[in-house]
Amino acid sequence: MKPKPPPSLDLAVMPDHDLESEGVYRRLGFFDTDLSGRVAESVDFSQCRFKGADLSGVNLGRAEVTDCLFEKSNLANLRAGRSSLIRTRLSILRMTGFTWLDGVVRDVTFEECRLDLSGWRFTDFRSVIFTKCNLSKADFTGADLTGAQFIGCDLTRAQFSNAKMSGTRFDDCTLLDVGGVTSWEGAVLRNQDLVALSYTLAAALGIRIDDDSE
């Protein structure tokens, strides 16, 4: 399901709409707004739009983000625990070190986002698409990825240990040196992706590949 944006937005104004615990933010436009470094619990964002916003280093607990749009903003090193991201689109974002632990991500699209070193441990993915994202060294340990698709993404050295991946789809991705490859039972890959993954899979199974034709 796609985000449901409101017919109109009010402009977020500081300090009236600063990020604080139990804050409720509805139908607001955060344009070129600096919210970096804030710490807040039980925050609720609904039908908001973030463009040119700085949320780097924000620390959230039990947050809910629903029907929101994020564009050309900075979410680097944002950390959220036991939080929900629902019907949201995130495009062209800086998200290095972004962490979403033990949470829910449902009906969400990530487009051309820099998500290297991001953390998704024990998070539940449903109807989620990553398109042309840099996910190198991302950590999906223990995540439920059965409802996720990766299209044209760089997953070099990403970690998938103990992840659930039945039905997870990969299309035209870089899969060099991924970790936890033995958890990939039920994943769906294109032919070219399987060739790239085969060397990592062979190493995990203790298979030695001899390239010496003699």
Side-chain angles (χ1 to χ4, degrees), residues 68-99:
C68 291
L69 303 176
F70 292 81
E71 306 166 76
K72 298 181 180 179
S73 296
N74 184 2
L75 278 67
N77 297 312
L78 183 151
R79 296 182 59 86
R82 298 186 178 182
S83 298
S84 298
L85 186 62
I86 299 172
R87 290 193 306 275
T88 293
R89 185 173 74 237
L90 304 96
S91 57
I92 316 177
L93 303 179
R94 180 186 175 193
M95 300 178 70
T96 298
F98 178 92
T99 304

Side-chain angles (χ1 to χ4, degrees), residues 19-134:
L19 191 56
E20 58 184 23
S21 292
E22 300 185 5
V24 177
Y25 308 90
R26 300 191 185 280
R27 301 180 179 179
L28 292 172
F30 292 87
F31 302 135
D32 301 313
T33 306
D34 186 357
L35 296 170
S36 61
R38 307 303 199 269
V39 179
E41 291 284 330
S42 303
V43 174
D44 184 355
F45 287 103
S46 179
Q47 293 188 308
C48 293
R49 184 177 180 183
F50 299 81
K51 188 172 183 179
D54 187 355
L55 287 86
S56 60
V58 166
N59 197 321
L60 302 174
R62 301 183 185 277
E64 293 188 13
V65 180
T66 308
D67 292 316
C68 291
L69 303 176
F70 292 81
E71 306 166 76
K72 298 181 180 179
S73 296
N74 184 2
L75 278 67
N77 297 312
L78 183 151
R79 296 182 59 86
R82 298 186 178 182
S83 298
S84 298
L85 186 62
I86 299 172
R87 290 193 306 275
T88 293
R89 185 173 74 237
L90 304 96
S91 57
I92 316 177
L93 303 179
R94 180 186 175 193
M95 300 178 70
T96 298
F98 178 92
T99 304
W100 201 268
L101 300 178
D102 196 17
V104 173
V105 181
R106 186 173 74 232
D107 295 313
V108 174
T109 58
F110 297 87
E111 301 171 347
E112 299 184 54
C113 294
R114 183 174 177 178
L115 279 157
D116 52 313
L117 300 171
S118 56
W120 309 89
R121 285 175 169 246
F122 307 106
T123 288
D124 186 3
F125 291 82
R126 290 288 180 268
S127 299
V128 177
I129 301 176
F130 295 90
T131 302
K132 297 181 180 179
C133 293
N134 179 356

